[in-house]
Amino acid sequence: MIAGLRGTVAGADADGVLIDVHGVIYRVGTSATTIAELGQQSGEVQLFTRLVVREDQMALFGFQSQEELALFDLVTSVSGIGPRLGCAILSRFTPDRLHDALSNGDVTLLATVPGIGQKTAARMIVDLRGKLPQLGAITTGGAVAPVDAEAIEALKALGYSLAEANAAIASLPRDTSLTVEEKIVAAMHLISE
């Protein structure tokens, strides 16, 4: 379907932007983060998009980065969270903050998104907890080896933030002979420097 749009910003509102692609103007639902980023750019912009088809409508949702689009796909896979609510979640949380809230089981924090109650927040945690390594892969910008994902989770359990853990593991040499424990120790040395 429509995987992306490249054009100029023709306008914006609270939950979407208008993108002019050679005279055809598309309305694209998005997050406040993407709206703010697009507002600072002049000239041609590119959005990675997802076309959502329902019985009564077709809607296009798009984001400035593939990482944000992947997060949108992930949160909208939860029962009860549609595309508009998915955009609201991405407007409220950065990828790191969302990952931390999900991995820590912070129902109260997730329920601060308008339209998400305690039950939906709890369902998000249960449904997405097994998919958290995918979020780790998103924030480092590529695929994460299982050993690296395990090391990142261990560093987070030791109290380091997701950003610190990702940066430290990504900085390590791509030596495949390192065990998880060796990667954790090396990453802790990098973080403390």
Side-chain angles (χ1 to χ4, degrees):
M1 284 295 192
I2 302 173
L5 293 176
R6 185 176 294 135
T8 56
V9 178
D13 56 30
D15 61 351
V17 292
L18 299 175
I19 303 293
D20 183 341
V21 181
H22 302 292
V24 177
I25 299 176
Y26 294 89
R27 185 186 189 293
V28 183
T30 191
S31 68
T33 305
T34 295
I35 291 172
E37 288 172 359
L38 291 176
Q40 297 174 2
Q41 294 182 6
S42 60
E44 190 173 79
V45 298
Q46 179 175 344
L47 292 178
F48 299 96
T49 61
R50 180 73 61 232
L51 179 64
V52 178
V53 179
R54 301 271 166 90
E55 278 183 27
D56 58 340
Q57 73 174 15
M58 292 190 334
L60 193 60
F61 294 88
F63 304 93
Q64 188 109 38
S65 69
Q66 289 181 329
E67 293 82 9
E68 197 173 10
L69 177 62
L71 277 174
F72 172 80
D73 289 340
L74 204 60
V75 297
T76 56
S77 71
V78 175
S79 176
I81 298 181
R84 290 195 191 329
L85 196 49
C87 288
I89 292 167
L90 295 176
S91 294
R92 173 75 172 86
F93 299 110
T94 63
D96 284 349
R97 182 85 186 228
L98 178 60
H99 185 279
D100 287 343
L102 291 168
S103 62
N104 295 332
D106 196 341
V107 173
T108 306
L109 183 61
L110 292 170
T112 61
V113 176
I116 293 193
Q118 298 283 330
K119 287 182 182 179
T120 304
R123 188 179 315 118
M124 277 181 67
I125 292 167
V126 170
D127 288 357
L128 299 180
R129 185 162 278 163
K131 299 178 183 180
L132 289 179
Q134 292 178 8
L135 290 174
I138 290 165
T139 58
T140 59
V144 174
V147 172
D148 289 346
E150 192 174 337
I152 289 168
E153 289 303 316
L155 287 167
K156 286 180 52 204
L158 291 170
Y160 295 101
S161 73
L162 175 62
E164 289 173 323
N166 275 331
I169 294 297
S171 299
L172 294 177
R174 297 286 108 203
D175 184 358
T176 57
S177 66
L178 290 177
T179 66
V180 174
E181 293 80 13
E182 291 169 333
K183 285 185 181 253
I184 293 167
V185 170
M188 289 171 64
H189 286 297
L190 282 175
I191 294 170
S192 64
E193 290 178 348

